[in-house]
Amino acid sequence: MNDAYNSIRLCGRIYSEPRYDHTIFGEAFYNMEVAAERLSGTEDILPVTLSERLLDISSFERLKVDARVGVTGQIRSYNQKTAER
């Protein structure tokens, strides 16, 4: 990754299996959740979006609940504007 200020390496266990979410310009995206354990033992459940372009579809068979996983990517956010704010 070229942008060292917007990168993340997440290691944990799969909390929910990937499920289809949407397609943009012919590229399908899937969502799943990864549980990352803190030193205190508490788990954070983090959403992860996967692109079919960047992930071998055959590896979906290995993405089962409780499987250990490491993910490298970028932090993305979306500010939804409403009439109130």
Side-chain angles (χ1 to χ4, degrees):
M1 276 180 211
N2 295 335
D3 186 358
Y5 296 103
N6 185 22
S7 62
I8 187 170
R9 171 79 175 149
L10 172 64
C11 297
R13 67 177 182 82
I14 296 176
Y15 187 78
S16 66
E17 293 180 13
R19 58 201 173 280
Y20 172 80
D21 187 63
H22 64 281
T23 298
I24 297 177
F25 299 115
E27 181 178 359
F29 290 86
Y30 298 83
N31 288 334
M32 69 180 209
E33 295 171 311
V34 174
E37 188 174 336
R38 294 179 180 217
L39 293 176
S40 66
T42 302
E43 284 186 326
D44 290 321
I45 309 300
L46 303 162
V48 174
T49 301
L50 306 167
S51 163
E52 72 174 351
R53 184 174 56 88
L54 300 175
L55 182 68
D56 181 7
I57 297 300
S58 65
S59 64
F60 269 69
E61 297 172 5
R62 297 189 306 261
L63 299 178
K64 300 294 182 191
V65 171
D66 290 330
R68 302 289 300 167
V69 66
V71 179
T72 302
Q74 294 178 333
I75 303 272
R76 301 278 178 103
S77 64
Y78 172 74
N79 295 327
Q80 184 175 4
K81 296 180 181 182
T82 63
E84 297 86 36
R85 47 188 171 137

